[in-house]
Coordinates of all heavy atoms in Angstrom, one line a residue:
D1 N 10.1 -25.5 -0.7 CA 9.0 -24.7 -1.2 C 7.9 -25.7 -1.6 O 8.1 -26.6 -2.4 CB 9.4 -23.9 -2.4 CG 8.4 -22.9 -2.9 OD1 7.3 -22.8 -2.2 OD2 8.6 -22.3 -3.9
A2 N 6.7 -25.6 -1.0 CA 5.6 -26.5 -1.2 C 4.8 -26.2 -2.5 O 4.0 -27.0 -2.9 CB 4.7 -26.5 0.0
L3 N 5.0 -25.0 -3.1 CA 4.2 -24.6 -4.2 C 4.3 -25.5 -5.4 O 3.2 -25.9 -5.9 CB 4.6 -23.2 -4.6 CG 3.6 -22.5 -5.6 CD1 2.2 -22.5 -5.1 CD2 4.1 -21.1 -6.0
P4 N 5.4 -26.0 -5.8 CA 5.5 -26.9 -6.9 C 4.8 -28.2 -6.7 O 4.1 -28.8 -7.5 CB 7.0 -27.2 -7.2 CG 7.6 -26.0 -6.6 CD 6.8 -25.5 -5.4
I5 N 4.8 -28.7 -5.4 CA 4.2 -29.9 -5.0 C 2.6 -29.7 -5.1 O 1.9 -30.6 -5.7 CB 4.6 -30.3 -3.6 CG1 6.1 -30.6 -3.6 CG2 3.7 -31.5 -3.1 CD1 6.6 -30.8 -2.2
L6 N 2.1 -28.6 -4.6 CA 0.7 -28.3 -4.7 C 0.2 -28.2 -6.2 O -0.8 -28.7 -6.5 CB 0.4 -27.0 -3.9 CG 0.4 -27.2 -2.4 CD1 0.3 -25.8 -1.8 CD2 -0.6 -28.1 -1.9
E7 N 1.1 -27.5 -7.0 CA 0.7 -27.3 -8.4 C 0.6 -28.7 -9.1 O -0.3 -29.0 -9.8 CB 1.7 -26.5 -9.1 CG 1.7 -25.0 -8.7 CD 2.7 -24.2 -9.4 OE1 3.8 -24.7 -9.7 OE2 2.4 -23.0 -9.7
Y8 N 1.6 -29.6 -8.8 CA 1.6 -30.9 -9.4 C 0.4 -31.7 -8.9 O -0.4 -32.3 -9.7 CB 2.9 -31.6 -9.0 CG 2.9 -33.0 -9.6 CD1 3.2 -33.2 -10.9 CD2 2.6 -34.1 -8.8 CE1 3.3 -34.5 -11.5 CE2 2.7 -35.4 -9.3 CZ 3.0 -35.6 -10.6 OH 3.0 -36.9 -11.2
A9 N 0.1 -31.7 -7.6 CA -1.0 -32.4 -7.0 C -2.4 -32.0 -7.6 O -3.3 -32.8 -7.8 CB -1.0 -32.4 -5.5
C10 N -2.5 -30.7 -7.8 CA -3.8 -30.1 -8.3 C -3.9 -30.0 -9.8 O -4.9 -29.7 -10.3 CB -4.0 -28.7 -7.6 SG -4.1 -28.8 -5.8
D11 N -2.7 -30.2 -10.4 CA -2.6 -30.1 -11.9 C -3.1 -28.7 -12.4 O -3.8 -28.6 -13.4 CB -3.5 -31.2 -12.6 CG -3.1 -31.4 -14.1 OD1 -2.0 -31.1 -14.4 OD2 -4.0 -31.7 -14.8
I12 N -2.6 -27.7 -11.7 CA -2.8 -26.3 -12.1 C -1.6 -25.5 -11.8 O -0.8 -25.9 -11.0 CB -4.1 -25.7 -11.4 CG1 -3.8 -25.7 -9.8 CG2 -5.4 -26.4 -11.7 CD1 -4.8 -24.8 -9.1
E13 N -1.5 -24.4 -12.4 CA -0.4 -23.4 -12.1 C -0.9 -22.4 -11.2 O -1.9 -21.8 -11.4 CB 0.1 -22.8 -13.4 CG 1.3 -21.9 -13.2 CD 1.8 -21.2 -14.5 OE1 1.5 -21.7 -15.6 OE2 2.4 -20.2 -14.4
A14 N -0.2 -22.3 -10.1 CA -0.6 -21.3 -9.0 C -0.3 -19.9 -9.5 O 0.6 -19.6 -10.2 CB 0.1 -21.6 -7.7
E15 N -1.1 -19.0 -9.0 CA -0.9 -17.5 -9.2 C -0.7 -16.9 -7.9 O -1.7 -16.8 -7.1 CB -2.0 -16.9 -10.0 CG -1.8 -15.4 -10.3 CD -2.8 -14.8 -11.2 OE1 -3.6 -15.5 -11.8 OE2 -2.8 -13.6 -11.2
V16 N 0.5 -16.5 -7.5 CA 0.8 -16.0 -6.2 C 0.4 -14.5 -6.2 O 0.8 -13.7 -7.1 CB 2.3 -16.1 -5.9 CG1 2.6 -15.5 -4.5 CG2 2.7 -17.6 -5.9
V17 N -0.4 -14.1 -5.3 CA -0.9 -12.7 -5.2 C -0.6 -12.2 -3.9 O -0.9 -12.8 -2.8 CB -2.4 -12.7 -5.5 CG1 -2.9 -11.3 -5.3 CG2 -2.8 -13.3 -6.8
G18 N 0.1 -11.1 -3.8 CA 0.4 -10.4 -2.6 C 1.0 -9.0 -2.9 O 1.3 -8.7 -4.1
K19 N 1.2 -8.2 -1.9 CA 1.9 -6.9 -2.1 C 3.2 -7.2 -2.7 O 3.9 -8.1 -2.3 CB 2.0 -6.2 -0.8 CG 0.7 -5.8 -0.2 CD 0.9 -4.9 1.0 CE 1.6 -5.7 2.1 NZ 1.7 -5.0 3.4
P20 N 3.7 -6.4 -3.7 CA 3.0 -5.2 -4.3 C 2.2 -5.5 -5.6 O 2.0 -4.7 -6.4 CB 4.2 -4.4 -4.6 CG 5.3 -5.3 -5.1 CD 5.1 -6.5 -4.2
S21 N 1.7 -6.7 -5.7 CA 0.9 -7.1 -6.9 C -0.3 -6.1 -7.1 O -1.1 -5.9 -6.1 CB 0.4 -8.5 -6.7 OG -0.6 -8.8 -7.7
R22 N -0.4 -5.6 -8.3 CA -1.6 -4.8 -8.6 C -2.9 -5.5 -8.3 O -3.8 -4.9 -7.8 CB -1.5 -4.4 -10.1 CG -2.6 -3.5 -10.6 CD -2.3 -3.1 -12.1 NE -3.4 -2.5 -12.7 CZ -3.7 -1.2 -12.6 NH1 -2.9 -0.4 -11.9 NH2 -4.7 -0.7 -13.2
M23 N -2.9 -6.8 -8.6 CA -4.1 -7.6 -8.4 C -4.5 -7.7 -6.9 O -5.7 -7.6 -6.6 CB -4.0 -9.0 -9.0 CG -5.2 -9.9 -8.8 SD -5.0 -11.6 -9.2 CE -4.8 -11.5 -11.0
F24 N -3.5 -7.7 -6.1 CA -3.7 -7.8 -4.6 C -4.5 -6.5 -4.2 O -5.5 -6.6 -3.5 CB -2.4 -7.8 -3.9 CG -2.5 -7.7 -2.4 CD1 -2.8 -8.8 -1.6 CD2 -2.3 -6.5 -1.8 CE1 -2.9 -8.6 -0.2 CE2 -2.4 -6.3 -0.4 CZ -2.7 -7.4 0.3
F25 N -4.0 -5.4 -4.6 CA -4.6 -4.1 -4.2 C -6.0 -3.9 -4.8 O -7.0 -3.6 -4.1 CB -3.7 -2.9 -4.5 CG -2.5 -2.8 -3.6 CD1 -1.3 -3.2 -4.0 CD2 -2.7 -2.2 -2.4 CE1 -0.2 -3.1 -3.2 CE2 -1.6 -2.1 -1.5 CZ -0.3 -2.5 -2.0
L26 N -6.1 -4.2 -6.1 CA -7.4 -4.0 -6.8 C -8.5 -5.0 -6.2 O -9.6 -4.6 -6.1 CB -7.2 -4.2 -8.3 CG -6.4 -3.1 -9.0 CD1 -6.2 -3.4 -10.4 CD2 -7.0 -1.7 -8.7
S27 N -8.0 -6.2 -5.9 CA -9.0 -7.2 -5.3 C -9.5 -6.7 -4.0 O -10.7 -6.8 -3.7 CB -8.3 -8.5 -5.2 OG -9.1 -9.5 -4.6
A28 N -8.6 -6.2 -3.1 CA -9.0 -5.7 -1.8 C -10.0 -4.5 -2.0 O -11.0 -4.4 -1.3 CB -7.8 -5.3 -1.0
L29 N -9.7 -3.6 -2.9 CA -10.5 -2.5 -3.2 C -11.9 -2.9 -3.7 O -12.9 -2.4 -3.2 CB -9.9 -1.5 -4.2 CG -8.7 -0.8 -3.7 CD1 -8.0 0.0 -4.8 CD2 -9.0 0.2 -2.5
A30 N -11.9 -3.9 -4.6 CA -13.2 -4.4 -5.1 C -14.0 -5.0 -4.0 O -15.2 -4.8 -4.0 CB -12.9 -5.4 -6.2
D31 N -13.4 -5.7 -3.1 CA -14.1 -6.3 -2.0 C -14.8 -5.3 -1.1 O -15.9 -5.5 -0.6 CB -13.2 -7.2 -1.1 CG -12.8 -8.5 -1.8 OD1 -13.4 -8.9 -2.8 OD2 -11.9 -9.1 -1.3
M32 N -14.2 -4.1 -1.1 CA -14.8 -3.0 -0.3 C -15.7 -2.1 -1.1 O -16.3 -1.2 -0.5 CB -13.7 -2.2 0.4 CG -12.8 -3.0 1.4 SD -11.6 -1.9 2.2 CE -10.4 -1.7 0.9
G33 N -15.7 -2.3 -2.4 CA -16.5 -1.4 -3.2 C -15.9 0.0 -3.4 O -16.7 1.0 -3.4
V34 N -14.6 0.1 -3.4 CA -13.9 1.4 -3.4 C -13.0 1.4 -4.6 O -12.4 0.5 -5.0 CB -13.0 1.5 -2.1 CG1 -12.2 2.8 -2.2 CG2 -13.9 1.5 -0.9
E35 N -13.0 2.6 -5.3 CA -12.2 2.8 -6.4 C -10.8 3.3 -5.9 O -10.7 3.9 -4.9 CB -12.8 4.0 -7.3 CG -14.1 3.6 -8.0 CD -13.9 2.5 -9.0 OE1 -12.9 2.5 -9.7 OE2 -14.8 1.6 -9.1
P36 N -9.7 3.0 -6.7 CA -8.4 3.4 -6.2 C -8.2 4.8 -5.9 O -7.6 5.1 -4.8 CB -7.5 3.0 -7.4 CG -8.2 1.9 -8.1 CD -9.7 2.2 -7.9
H37 N -8.8 5.7 -6.6 CA -8.7 7.1 -6.3 C -9.4 7.6 -5.0 O -9.2 8.6 -4.5 CB -9.2 8.0 -7.5 CG -10.6 8.0 -7.7 ND1 -11.3 7.0 -8.4 CD2 -11.6 8.8 -7.2 CE1 -12.6 7.2 -8.3 NE2 -12.8 8.3 -7.6
Q38 N -10.2 6.7 -4.5 CA -11.0 6.9 -3.2 C -10.2 6.4 -2.0 O -10.7 6.6 -0.9 CB -12.3 6.3 -3.3 CG -13.2 6.8 -4.4 CD -14.5 6.0 -4.5 OE1 -14.5 4.8 -4.6 NE2 -15.6 6.7 -4.5
A39 N -9.1 5.7 -2.2 CA -8.5 5.0 -1.2 C -7.1 5.6 -0.8 O -6.5 6.2 -1.7 CB -8.3 3.5 -1.5
L40 N -6.7 5.3 0.4 CA -5.3 5.8 0.8 C -4.7 4.6 1.5 O -5.2 4.0 2.5 CB -5.5 6.9 1.8 CG -4.2 7.4 2.5 CD1 -3.3 8.1 1.5 CD2 -4.5 8.4 3.6
M41 N -3.5 4.2 1.1 CA -2.7 3.2 1.7 C -1.8 3.8 2.7 O -1.2 4.8 2.5 CB -1.9 2.4 0.7 CG -0.9 1.4 1.2 SD -1.8 0.1 2.0 CE -0.4 -1.0 2.5
I42 N -1.8 3.2 3.9 CA -0.8 3.7 5.0 C 0.0 2.5 5.3 O -0.5 1.4 5.7 CB -1.6 4.2 6.2 CG1 -2.5 5.3 5.9 CG2 -0.6 4.6 7.3 CD1 -3.5 5.6 7.0
G43 N 1.3 2.6 5.0 CA 2.2 1.4 5.2 C 3.6 1.9 5.6 O 4.0 3.0 5.4
D44 N 4.4 0.9 6.1 CA 5.7 1.2 6.5 C 6.8 0.7 5.4 O 7.9 1.0 5.6 CB 6.0 0.5 7.8 CG 5.9 -1.0 7.8 OD1 5.6 -1.6 6.8 OD2 6.3 -1.6 8.8
D45 N 6.4 0.0 4.4 CA 7.3 -0.5 3.4 C 7.2 0.3 2.1 O 6.1 0.4 1.5 CB 6.9 -2.0 3.1 CG 7.9 -2.6 2.2 OD1 8.2 -2.1 1.1 OD2 8.4 -3.7 2.6
I46 N 8.2 1.1 1.8 CA 8.2 2.0 0.7 C 7.9 1.3 -0.6 O 7.1 1.9 -1.5 CB 9.5 2.8 0.6 CG1 9.4 4.0 -0.4 CG2 10.7 2.0 0.2 CD1 8.4 5.1 0.1
V47 N 8.4 0.1 -0.9 CA 8.2 -0.5 -2.2 C 6.9 -1.3 -2.2 O 6.0 -1.1 -3.1 CB 9.4 -1.4 -2.5 CG1 9.1 -2.3 -3.8 CG2 10.6 -0.6 -2.7
N48 N 6.7 -2.2 -1.2 CA 5.5 -3.1 -1.2 C 4.2 -2.4 -0.9 O 3.2 -2.7 -1.5 CB 5.8 -4.3 -0.3 CG 6.8 -5.2 -0.8 OD1 7.0 -5.4 -2.0 ND2 7.6 -5.8 0.0
D49 N 4.2 -1.5 0.1 CA 3.0 -0.9 0.6 C 2.8 0.4 -0.3 O 1.7 0.5 -1.0 CB 3.1 -0.4 2.0 CG 3.2 -1.6 3.0 OD1 2.8 -2.7 2.6 OD2 3.7 -1.4 4.1
V50 N 3.7 1.3 -0.3 CA 3.5 2.6 -0.9 C 3.6 2.4 -2.5 O 2.7 2.8 -3.2 CB 4.6 3.6 -0.5 CG1 4.5 4.9 -1.3 CG2 4.4 3.9 1.0
G51 N 4.6 1.8 -3.0 CA 4.8 1.7 -4.4 C 3.7 0.8 -5.0 O 3.1 1.1 -6.0
G52 N 3.3 -0.3 -4.3 CA 2.3 -1.2 -4.8 C 1.0 -0.5 -4.9 O 0.2 -0.6 -5.9
A53 N 0.6 0.3 -3.9 CA -0.6 1.0 -3.9 C -0.7 2.1 -5.0 O -1.6 2.2 -5.7 CB -0.9 1.7 -2.5
Q54 N 0.4 2.8 -5.1 CA 0.5 3.9 -6.2 C 0.4 3.3 -7.6 O -0.2 3.9 -8.5 CB 1.8 4.7 -6.0 CG 1.8 5.6 -4.8 CD 3.1 6.3 -4.5 OE1 4.1 5.8 -5.0 NE2 3.0 7.4 -3.9
Q55 N 0.9 2.1 -7.8 CA 0.9 1.5 -9.1 C -0.6 1.2 -9.6 O -0.8 1.1 -10.8 CB 1.7 0.2 -9.2 CG 3.2 0.5 -9.2 CD 4.0 -0.8 -9.2 OE1 3.5 -1.9 -9.2 NE2 5.3 -0.6 -9.1
C56 N -1.5 1.1 -8.6 CA -2.9 0.9 -9.0 C -3.7 2.1 -8.9 O -5.0 2.0 -9.0 CB -3.4 -0.4 -8.3 SG -3.8 -0.1 -6.6
G57 N -3.1 3.2 -8.7 CA -3.9 4.5 -8.6 C -4.3 5.0 -7.3 O -5.0 6.0 -7.2
M58 N -3.8 4.4 -6.2 CA -4.1 4.9 -4.9 C -3.0 5.9 -4.5 O -1.9 5.9 -5.0 CB -4.0 3.7 -3.9 CG -5.1 2.6 -4.1 SD -4.8 1.2 -3.1 CE -4.9 1.9 -1.4
R59 N -3.4 6.7 -3.5 CA -2.4 7.6 -2.8 C -1.9 6.8 -1.7 O -2.6 5.9 -1.2 CB -3.0 8.9 -2.4 CG -3.3 9.8 -3.6 CD -3.9 11.1 -3.2 NE -5.2 10.8 -2.6 CZ -5.9 11.6 -1.9 NH1 -5.4 12.8 -1.5 NH2 -7.1 11.3 -1.4
A60 N -0.7 7.1 -1.2 CA -0.1 6.3 -0.1 C 0.8 7.2 0.8 O 1.6 8.0 0.3 CB 0.8 5.2 -0.7
L61 N 0.6 6.9 2.1 CA 1.4 7.6 3.1 C 2.4 6.5 3.7 O 2.0 5.3 3.8 CB 0.6 8.1 4.3 CG -0.4 9.2 4.0 CD1 -1.2 9.5 5.3 CD2 0.3 10.4 3.6
Q62 N 3.6 6.9 3.9 CA 4.5 6.0 4.6 C 4.6 6.4 6.1 O 4.8 7.6 6.4 CB 5.9 6.0 4.0 CG 6.8 4.9 4.6 CD 8.2 4.8 4.0 OE1 8.6 5.7 3.3 NE2 8.8 3.6 4.3
V63 N 4.4 5.4 6.9 CA 4.5 5.7 8.4 C 5.9 5.4 8.8 O 6.6 4.4 8.4 CB 3.4 4.8 9.1 CG1 3.7 3.3 9.0 CG2 3.4 5.3 10.6
R64 N 6.5 6.2 9.6 CA 7.9 6.1 10.1 C 8.0 5.1 11.2 O 8.6 5.5 12.3 CB 8.4 7.5 10.4 CG 8.5 8.4 9.2 CD 9.1 9.8 9.7 NE 9.2 10.7 8.5 CZ 8.6 11.8 8.4 NH1 7.7 12.2 9.3 NH2 8.8 12.6 7.4
T65 N 7.5 3.9 11.1 CA 7.7 2.9 12.1 C 8.0 1.6 11.3 O 7.9 1.5 10.1 CB 6.4 2.7 12.9 OG1 5.3 2.4 12.0 CG2 6.1 4.0 13.7
G66 N 8.2 0.5 12.0 CA 8.3 -0.8 11.4 C 9.5 -0.9 10.4 O 10.6 -0.7 10.8
K67 N 9.2 -1.2 9.1 CA 10.2 -1.3 8.1 C 10.8 0.0 7.6 O 11.7 0.0 6.9 CB 9.6 -2.1 6.9 CG 9.3 -3.5 7.2 CD 8.8 -4.2 5.9 CE 8.4 -5.6 6.1 NZ 7.9 -6.2 4.9
Y68 N 10.2 1.1 8.0 CA 10.7 2.4 7.5 C 12.1 2.6 7.9 O 12.6 2.3 8.9 CB 9.8 3.5 8.2 CG 10.4 4.9 8.0 CD1 10.2 5.6 6.8 CD2 11.3 5.5 9.0 CE1 10.8 6.9 6.6 CE2 11.8 6.7 8.8 CZ 11.6 7.4 7.6 OH 12.2 8.6 7.4
R69 N 12.8 3.2 6.9 CA 14.2 3.7 7.1 C 14.3 5.1 6.6 O 13.6 5.4 5.5 CB 15.2 2.8 6.3 CG 15.2 1.3 6.8 CD 15.8 1.2 8.2 NE 15.7 -0.2 8.7 CZ 14.7 -0.6 9.5 NH1 13.7 0.1 9.9 NH2 14.8 -1.9 9.9
P70 N 15.1 6.0 7.2 CA 15.1 7.4 6.7 C 15.5 7.5 5.2 O 15.0 8.4 4.5 CB 16.2 8.0 7.6 CG 16.2 7.2 8.9 CD 15.8 5.8 8.4
C71 N 16.3 6.6 4.7 CA 16.6 6.6 3.3 C 15.4 6.3 2.4 O 15.4 6.7 1.2 CB 17.7 5.6 3.0 SG 17.3 3.9 3.3
D72 N 14.3 5.8 2.9 CA 13.1 5.6 2.1 C 12.6 6.9 1.5 O 12.0 6.9 0.5 CB 12.0 5.0 3.0 CG 12.3 3.5 3.4 OD1 13.2 2.9 2.8 OD2 11.5 3.0 4.2
E73 N 12.8 8.0 2.3 CA 12.3 9.3 1.8 C 13.1 9.8 0.6 O 12.6 10.8 0.0 CB 12.3 10.3 3.0 CG 11.3 9.9 4.0 CD 11.1 10.9 5.1 OE1 11.2 12.1 4.9 OE2 10.8 10.5 6.3
K74 N 14.1 9.2 0.2 CA 14.9 9.5 -1.0 C 15.0 8.3 -1.9 O 16.0 8.2 -2.7 CB 16.3 10.0 -0.6 CG 16.2 11.3 0.2 CD 17.6 11.9 0.4 CE 17.7 13.1 1.3 NZ 16.6 14.0 1.3
H75 N 14.0 7.4 -1.8 CA 14.1 6.2 -2.6 C 14.1 6.6 -4.1 O 13.4 7.5 -4.5 CB 12.8 5.3 -2.3 CG 12.9 4.0 -2.9 ND1 12.6 3.6 -4.2 CD2 13.3 2.8 -2.3 CE1 12.8 2.3 -4.3 NE2 13.2 1.8 -3.2
R76 N 14.9 5.8 -4.9 CA 15.1 6.2 -6.3 C 13.8 5.9 -7.2 O 13.7 6.5 -8.2 CB 16.3 5.5 -6.9 CG 16.2 4.0 -6.9 CD 17.5 3.4 -7.4 NE 17.5 2.0 -7.3 CZ 17.2 1.2 -8.3 NH1 17.1 1.6 -9.5 NH2 17.2 -0.1 -8.1
D77 N 13.0 5.0 -6.8 CA 11.8 4.6 -7.6 C 10.5 5.0 -7.1 O 9.5 5.1 -7.8 CB 11.9 3.1 -7.9 CG 13.1 2.7 -8.6 OD1 13.5 3.4 -9.5 OD2 13.7 1.6 -8.2
V78 N 10.3 5.1 -5.7 CA 9.0 5.3 -5.1 C 9.1 6.6 -4.2 O 10.0 6.7 -3.4 CB 8.6 4.1 -4.3 CG1 7.2 4.3 -3.7 CG2 8.6 2.8 -5.2
T79 N 8.1 7.4 -4.3 CA 8.0 8.6 -3.5 C 6.6 8.6 -2.9 O 5.6 8.6 -3.6 CB 8.2 9.9 -4.2 OG1 9.5 9.9 -4.8 CG2 8.1 11.1 -3.3
A80 N 6.5 8.5 -1.6 CA 5.2 8.5 -0.9 C 4.5 9.8 -1.1 O 5.2 10.9 -1.3 CB 5.4 8.2 0.6
D81 N 3.2 9.8 -1.0 CA 2.5 11.1 -1.1 C 2.6 11.9 0.2 O 2.3 13.1 0.2 CB 1.0 10.8 -1.4 CG 0.8 10.2 -2.8 OD1 1.0 10.9 -3.8 OD2 0.5 9.0 -2.8
G82 N 3.1 11.3 1.2 CA 3.3 12.0 2.5 C 3.9 11.0 3.5 O 4.0 9.8 3.2
Y83 N 4.5 11.5 4.5 CA 5.1 10.7 5.6 C 4.5 11.1 6.9 O 4.2 12.3 7.2 CB 6.6 11.0 5.6 CG 7.3 10.6 4.3 CD1 7.4 11.5 3.3 CD2 7.7 9.3 4.1 CE1 8.0 11.1 2.1 CE2 8.3 8.9 2.9 CZ 8.4 9.9 1.9 OH 9.0 9.5 0.7
V84 N 4.2 10.2 7.8 CA 3.7 10.4 9.1 C 4.5 9.6 10.1 O 5.1 8.6 9.8 CB 2.2 10.0 9.2 CG1 1.3 10.9 8.4 CG2 2.0 8.6 8.8
N85 N 4.5 10.1 11.4 CA 5.3 9.5 12.4 C 4.7 8.2 13.0 O 5.4 7.3 13.5 CB 5.7 10.4 13.5 CG 6.6 11.5 13.0 OD1 7.5 11.3 12.3 ND2 6.3 12.8 13.3
N86 N 3.4 8.1 12.9 CA 2.7 7.0 13.4 C 1.2 6.9 12.8 O 0.8 7.9 12.2 CB 2.6 7.0 15.0 CG 2.1 8.3 15.5 OD1 1.0 8.7 15.1 ND2 2.9 8.9 16.4
L87 N 0.6 5.8 13.1 CA -0.8 5.7 12.5 C -1.8 6.7 13.1 O -2.6 7.2 12.3 CB -1.3 4.3 12.8 CG -2.6 3.9 12.2 CD1 -2.5 4.0 10.7 CD2 -3.0 2.4 12.6
A88 N -1.6 7.1 14.3 CA -2.5 8.1 14.9 C -2.4 9.4 14.2 O -3.4 10.1 13.9 CB -2.2 8.3 16.4
E89 N -1.2 9.8 13.8 CA -1.0 11.0 13.0 C -1.7 10.9 11.7 O -2.3 11.9 11.2 CB 0.5 11.3 12.9 CG 0.8 12.6 12.2 CD 2.3 12.9 12.0 OE1 3.1 12.3 12.8 OE2 2.7 13.7 11.2
A90 N -1.6 9.8 11.0 CA -2.2 9.6 9.7 C -3.7 9.7 9.9 O -4.4 10.4 9.0 CB -1.9 8.2 9.2
V91 N -4.3 9.2 10.9 CA -5.8 9.3 11.2 C -6.1 10.7 11.4 O -7.1 11.2 10.8 CB -6.2 8.4 12.3 CG1 -7.6 8.7 12.7 CG2 -6.0 6.9 12.0
D92 N -5.3 11.5 12.1 CA -5.6 12.9 12.4 C -5.6 13.7 11.0 O -6.5 14.5 10.8 CB -4.6 13.5 13.3 CG -4.7 13.1 14.8 OD1 -5.8 12.5 15.1 OD2 -3.8 13.2 15.5
I93 N -4.7 13.4 10.2 CA -4.6 14.1 8.9 C -5.8 13.7 8.0 O -6.4 14.6 7.4 CB -3.3 13.7 8.1 CG1 -2.1 14.3 8.9 CG2 -3.3 14.1 6.7 CD1 -0.8 13.8 8.4
I94 N -6.2 12.5 8.0 CA -7.4 12.1 7.3 C -8.6 12.8 7.8 O -9.4 13.3 7.0 CB -7.6 10.5 7.3 CG1 -6.4 9.9 6.6 CG2 -8.9 10.1 6.7 CD1 -6.3 8.4 6.8
L95 N -8.8 12.8 9.1 CA -10.0 13.5 9.7 C -10.0 15.0 9.4 O -11.0 15.5 9.1 CB -10.0 13.2 11.2 CG -10.3 11.8 11.6 CD1 -10.2 11.6 13.1 CD2 -11.7 11.3 11.1
Q96 N -8.8 15.6 9.4 CA -8.7 17.0 9.1 C -9.2 17.2 7.6 O -9.9 18.2 7.3 CB -7.3 17.5 9.2 CG -6.9 17.7 10.7 CD -5.4 18.0 10.8 OE1 -4.7 18.3 9.8 NE2 -4.9 18.0 12.1
Q97 N -8.7 16.4 6.7 CA -9.1 16.5 5.3 C -10.6 16.3 5.1 O -11.2 17.0 4.3 CB -8.3 15.4 4.5 CG -6.8 15.7 4.4 CD -6.5 16.9 3.6 OE1 -7.1 17.2 2.6 NE2 -5.6 17.7 4.2
I98 N -11.2 15.4 5.8 CA -12.6 15.1 5.7 C -13.4 16.4 6.2 O -14.3 16.8 5.6 CB -13.0 13.9 6.5 CG1 -12.5 12.6 5.8 CG2 -14.5 13.8 6.7 CD1 -12.6 11.3 6.6
N99 N -12.9 16.9 7.4 CA -13.6 18.1 7.9 C -13.5 19.3 7.0 O -14.4 20.1 6.9 CB -13.1 18.4 9.3 CG -13.5 17.3 10.3 OD1 -14.5 16.7 10.2 ND2 -12.7 17.2 11.4
Q100 N -12.3 19.5 6.4 CA -12.1 20.6 5.5 C -13.0 20.4 4.2 O -13.6 21.4 3.8 CB -10.7 20.7 5.0 CG -9.7 21.2 6.1 CD -8.3 21.2 5.6 OE1 -8.0 20.8 4.5 NE2 -7.4 21.7 6.5
G101 N -13.2 19.2 3.8 CA -14.1 18.9 2.6 C -15.5 19.2 2.9 O -16.3 19.6 2.1
Q102 N -15.9 18.9 4.2 CA -17.3 19.1 4.6 C -17.6 20.6 4.8 O -18.8 21.0 4.6 CB -17.6 18.3 5.8 CG -17.7 16.8 5.5 CD -17.9 16.0 6.8 OE1 -17.8 16.5 7.9 NE2 -18.0 14.7 6.6
S103 N -16.6 21.4 5.2 CA -16.9 22.8 5.5 C -16.6 23.7 4.3 O -16.9 24.8 4.4 CB -16.0 23.2 6.7 OG -14.6 23.2 6.4
G104 N -16.0 23.1 3.3 CA -15.6 24.0 2.1 C -16.4 23.7 1.0 O -17.2 23.8 0.3

């Protein structure tokens, strides 16, 4: 692990930021100028993608590809706001929601 070497060489303590860190998600949202309640995370990892996003106030869909396992839908700590079979299905759902919002 090179992290201790870098910390020593730079004389600072590193702060590792990545999913499911709250700071990771909030930083990405801030860069886009989006509030958590305005965003939707679509990911295949129930804990890091879905759980991480939900912890900072985002809604999250789990896609049934990649890291997804059927047991994720009964995870003891994290429940996705919805499940989709692929990214295209997620996009279709988002577009339907937008269209309903514009017509209603």
Side-chain angles (χ1 to χ4, degrees):
D1 188 7
L3 188 59
I5 296 167
L6 289 172
E7 288 178 327
Y8 179 79
C10 298
D11 195 28
I12 59 169
E13 183 178 340
E15 183 173 344
V16 178
V17 177
K19 294 183 298 185
S21 164
R22 180 176 169 84
M23 182 188 289
F24 172 85
F25 287 99
L26 293 177
S27 176
L29 292 171
D31 286 348
M32 294 184 288
V34 175
E35 294 294 322
H37 70 276
Q38 298 172 309
L40 174 69
M41 173 67 179
I42 302 168
D44 63 355
D45 187 305
I46 191 69
V47 173
N48 292 325
D49 296 337
V50 175
Q54 289 174 334
Q55 286 178 4
C56 72
M58 296 171 63
R59 289 180 292 161
L61 295 177
Q62 186 176 18
V63 65
R64 294 180 178 118
T65 60
K67 293 182 180 180
Y68 168 83
R69 299 292 175 263
C71 62
D72 290 347
E73 295 188 31
K74 297 188 183 329
H75 194 277
R76 63 184 175 102
D77 298 320
V78 180
T79 302
D81 294 293
Y83 299 90
V84 292
N85 292 317
N86 53 53
L87 188 57
E89 184 179 341
V91 171
D92 287 344
I93 291 170
I94 292 166
L95 292 174
Q96 288 172 9
Q97 293 293 316
I98 291 170
N99 290 334
Q100 287 176 0
Q102 292 175 351
S103 64

